[in-house]
Amino acid sequence: MAFRIGRTLPPAASPIYLRDIVSGIAGLFRGSKAVTRFEGELKKYFGVEHCFTVSSGKAALSVILQSLKAMHPDRDEVLIPAFTCYSVPSAIIRAGLRIRLCDVDAETFDFDFKGLEKIISEHGARLLCILPVHLFGIPADVDRIRNLVEGREVVIVEDAAQAMGGESGGKKLGTLGDVGFFSLGRGKALSTVEGGIIITRRDDIADNLAGAVGALGEYGALEKARLLLYAAALVVLLRPSLFWLPKSLPFLRLGETIYAPDFPMRKMSAFQAGLAHGWERKLHGLKRVRSGKMHDFLERLATRFPWLDAGRPPDLLRLPLRIDSANRRADILRASEASGLGLAAAYPDSVDRIPELKAHFSSFHYPTAKKNAERLLTLPLHKYLTGDDIDRIAELLRSEEWPIP
Ligand SMILES: *Cc1c(COP(=O)(O)O)cnc(C)c1O
C-alpha cells in the first residue's frame, strides 16, 4: 500500500469530541450508575423493556447466541448472509455454534429470499436463528423473514450494527426482530471507541441475557486507561489533516476486517457509557450530516441505486456502489489512495472464502456475495468530507478511464 503524507479522508469516521472525553471521565466517577443511565436512555428511545451494554458488537452477538443456545439446546445453526462483516462469523464460532450461509440479493444486499426459503424448509429444525443485516444502513426486510419462519421456533436476531438511529416503515431498526444489537465501534453511526448494545422486548430472551451478560468480566484499570488514550487520540487523528498518520501505522490495522473468534467479552465500562453522554443529539446530528453528503453524491453521480427505489432514502453509513469489473475497482481504489479520498472496498471476501472457515464450505457457492467482495466500492459520507472532496470523488468515478456502468 502506498504511503502518503497529507490530507487523507478516513473511509468512515464517527467523531469523538473533547467534551465526550470529559463526560467519559465523569462517567468513571459515577461508576455503574453511568451505565444504568445509558441503558435507561436506550430503552426509552427504542421503546423496549430490556437493554444490555457490552464491550463490542461481536460480544453483543456472542452473548445473544449463547443465551439462545441455552433456550434451544437442540438447535445449533445460525443463518447469516454470505456477504457480511467478519465479526459475525467470529461471534458465531465464539459461541460454539455452526454457520449456515445464504447468498445475497445483488440489488439490495439483503438475503436472496429464494435461497433463504429453501434453506429454511430444508434445515429449519436445526436453525437456532436467522440474522438479517442492515448493511451500510440499508434496511433488510425483517417482516419477510418473520413470515417465512411463521410457526417455527427460529429466532430473528437483527444485526443493526451499522444502523443505529435508522428507521424502516416508521419503526426503529434494531426493534424489528426478536432481539437486536448495535455496535459502538470506530466506524459506526455512534462510537464509544468500542462497545455493543443489545435490545429486546422478549422477557424470556432477556432473562437468559441477564445471566450471560452478568457473567462477563469488567474492564480492568489498565484497559480503561487504554480506552481513554484511544479516545483522546481519536479526537485529533480522525481529522483529514492527520489521518494519514494512524493510517500509515500497520499495527493499528485500520480499515482491516479480520476473522478472529478470540475477541475479549466484557460488560461496558462506565467510561464508555460516559463517552456516550448526549448520544441521541449526536447520533441525529451526524445522521443529518451524512444524509446531506449522500444527496450531494446522488446529484453528481448518474448511477442507479436500486435500494433507493423504494420510498424514503435510508440513513446510510457509507454509500455502496457496484463497479462493473474487479480491475476497474482496483484502478479506482488506487487513484483514491493516491489522493486520499477515502474510498474503500467493503469486505475482502465472502464468508465461505475466509481462510479459517473455507474447509466447511468447499461444496457451496455464493456467487453474488463473491461478486460483492470483488466489485463493491463504498464512498465516505462523514462530516469531514467537503464539497470539494465530493466533486473530486464524483470526477474520479466519472472520468473517461473509469466510467460507471
Ligand atoms: C461492526 C459490525 C459488527 C460487529 O461490531 P464490533 O463492535 O466491531 O464488534 C457486526 N455486524 C456488522 C454488520 C458490523 O458492521
Side-chain angles (χ1 to χ4, degrees):
M1 195 191 286
F3 178 75
R4 185 172 177 281
I5 294 180
R7 191 167 188 282
T8 305
L9 290 163
S14 187
I16 291 181
Y17 304 113
L18 204 52
R19 63 167 178 272
D20 299 328
I21 308 253
V22 174
S23 308
I25 294 169
L28 279 176
F29 285 101
R30 302 185 68 228
S32 64
K33 274 197 212 123
V35 178
T36 311
R37 171 168 150 181
F38 182 35
E39 290 175 347
E41 292 168 352
L42 289 161
K43 279 190 254 186
K44 198 164 152 219
Y45 175 85
F46 287 105
V48 297
E49 288 76 28
H50 311 284
C51 174
F52 303 90
T53 52
V54 294
S55 53
S56 66
K58 49 193 163 291
L61 176 55
S62 207
V63 286
I64 290 171
L65 296 176
Q66 280 174 15
S67 305
L68 297 179
K69 189 166 103 172
M71 295 167 71
H72 303 277
D74 51 328
R75 294 166 180 263
D76 65 352
E77 290 190 357
V78 180
L79 178 52
I80 63 171
F83 185 70
T84 192
C85 177
Y86 286 15
S87 295
V88 173
S90 305
I92 299 171
I93 297 301
R94 175 62 176 269
L97 292 162
R98 289 165 184 274
I99 301 164
R100 170 75 61 183
L101 296 175
C102 176
D103 205 0
V104 294
D105 183 275
E107 306 229 305
T108 62
F109 304 105
D110 203 346
F111 284 113
D112 158 32
F113 274 88
K114 252 206 191 128
L116 189 70
E117 239 173 284
K118 188 158 177 277
I119 293 171
I120 292 172
S121 70
E122 284 172 10
H123 305 279
R126 284 192 70 176
L127 284 183
L128 177 64
C129 60
I130 301 183
L131 226 90
V133 182
H134 307 302
L135 207 62
F136 311 117
I138 302 168
D141 195 344
V142 179
D143 286 344
R144 195 164 168 189
I145 299 175
R146 172 87 60 208
N147 288 332
L148 288 179
V149 298
E150 175 96 64
R152 299 177 184 268
E153 269 183 73
V154 181
V155 178
I156 300 177
V157 178
E158 195 182 344
D159 182 347
Q162 302 186 8
M164 190 176 177
E167 288 185 9
S168 170
K171 288 185 183 159
K172 291 196 166 74
L173 299 181
T175 65
L176 311 177
D178 295 296
V179 50
F181 70 95
F182 304 98
S183 163
L184 299 175
R186 272 185 299 108
K188 308 298 164 112
L190 178 81
S191 177
T192 55
V193 183
E194 60 190 36
I197 297 166
I198 305 170
I199 55 173
T200 183
R201 294 190 174 112
R202 276 185 52 175
D203 297 334
D204 56 339
I205 294 179
D207 284 347
N208 281 277
L209 276 170
V213 175
L216 296 179
E218 311 258 357
Y219 278 87
L222 215 59
E223 282 297 316
K224 281 189 266 194
R226 174 186 65 86
L227 284 179
L228 188 112
L229 282 177
Y230 208 129
L234 287 176
V235 172
V236 291
L237 293 180
L238 282 176
R239 292 175 194 165
S241 56
L242 291 174
F243 186 68
W244 60 270
L245 178 63
K247 191 169 184 285
S248 64
L249 303 174
F251 59 87
L252 288 180
R253 312 184 89 166
L254 285 190
E256 251 183 79
T257 312
I258 48 167
Y259 170 79
D262 57 346
F263 54 86
M265 291 186 36
R266 302 188 178 97
K267 290 175 190 146
M268 179 174 280
S269 70
F271 174 69
Q272 290 154 297
L275 266 187
H277 182 70
W279 61 274
E280 201 178 324
R281 262 189 75 184
K282 188 175 176 186
L283 182 69
H284 286 279
L286 294 173
K287 172 168 141 173
R288 257 194 310 279
V289 169
R290 288 197 312 271
S291 98
K293 312 280 180 194
M294 179 165 94
H295 281 103
D296 291 348
F297 271 123
L298 296 182
E299 271 178 14
R300 286 168 176 77
L301 299 174
T303 311
R304 186 179 152 258
F305 295 93
W307 43 264
L308 255 183
D309 296 351
R312 222 164 61 88
D315 164 38
L316 295 194
L317 209 50
R318 293 196 266 168
L319 179 60
L321 204 67
R322 206 183 312 266
I323 304 301
D324 65 354
S325 85
N327 285 341
R328 189 171 296 172
R329 186 187 73 166
D331 288 342
I332 297 174
L333 282 174
R334 215 169 298 122
S336 162
E337 194 72 28
S339 12
L341 290 176
L343 306 194
Y347 303 115
D349 221 328
S350 53
V351 174
D352 58 299
R353 292 160 54 89
I354 294 175
E356 294 89 335
L357 297 175
K358 69 178 181 206
H360 302 289
F361 299 103
S362 54
S363 55
F364 294 87
H365 296 283
Y366 305 97
T368 309
K370 182 162 176 278
K371 217 173 246 188
N372 280 350
E374 290 166 354
R375 300 187 187 178
L376 267 190
L377 194 64
T378 64
L379 315 190
L381 295 172
H382 53 72
K383 64 167 244 170
Y384 297 110
L385 207 69
T386 64
D388 186 48
D389 293 325
I390 294 176
D391 287 339
R392 286 169 66 204
I393 292 171
E395 194 52 45
L396 169 63
L397 294 171
R398 232 188 340 249
S399 73
E400 280 299 302
E401 279 169 274
W402 302 292
I404 293 223

